[in-house]
């Protein structure tokens, strides 16, 4: 079994692990509704990607929520 000959300092260990840090995700505004969304993904707010409706966001909402959401989307257009 491999055993290190000498103790590694904490600074050396931290330098090695510096590449393991999480990166901040880049958010871009949706061209249709202007809400922030991850790039190269469909907009969770309006369901569009590259000017095509990919997901029907209103399908899973109740009748009252659908009406409010539809008014909001129409207002933004």
């Amino acid at each position: 079994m491999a055993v290190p000959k000498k103790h590694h300092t904490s600074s050396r260990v931290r330098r090695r692990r510096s590449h393991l840090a999480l990166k901040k995700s880049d958010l871009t505004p949706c061209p249709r509704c202007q809400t922030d969304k991850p790039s190269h993904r469909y907009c969770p707010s309006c369901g569009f990607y590259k000017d095509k409706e990919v997901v029907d966001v209103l399908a899973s909402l109740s009748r009252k929520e659908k009406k409010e959401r539809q008014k909001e989307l129409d207002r933004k257009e």
Side-chain angles (χ1 to χ4, degrees), residues 23-61:
K23 305 285 189 277
K24 185 178 178 184
S25 63
D26 293 332
L27 297 177
T28 57
C30 174
R32 184 179 165 96
C33 65
Q34 303 304 318
T35 58
D36 288 338
K37 67 173 189 73
S39 59
H40 305 292
R41 303 284 188 274
Y42 76 91
C43 178
S45 175
C46 64
F48 275 74
Y49 179 69
K50 289 189 177 180
D51 299 329
K52 294 179 186 173
E53 187 174 11
V54 180
V55 176
D56 186 14
V57 179
L58 301 176
S60 63
L61 301 176

Side-chain angles (χ1 to χ4, degrees), residues 62-76:
S62 68
R63 184 181 292 168
K64 186 177 181 180
E65 291 172 333
K66 274 185 189 178
K67 197 172 186 180
E68 291 173 3
R69 192 67 166 270
Q70 189 63 41
K71 283 182 184 179
E72 182 181 321
L73 289 174
D74 291 339
R75 201 174 329 121
K76 287 184 180 181

Side-chain angles (χ1 to χ4, degrees), residues 3-17:
V3 178
K5 292 259 186 202
K6 294 187 177 183
H7 175 77
H8 287 181
T9 63
S10 59
S11 63
R12 182 173 176 169
V13 172
R14 289 175 186 157
R15 258 185 298 165
R16 185 181 68 240
R17 292 180 183 164

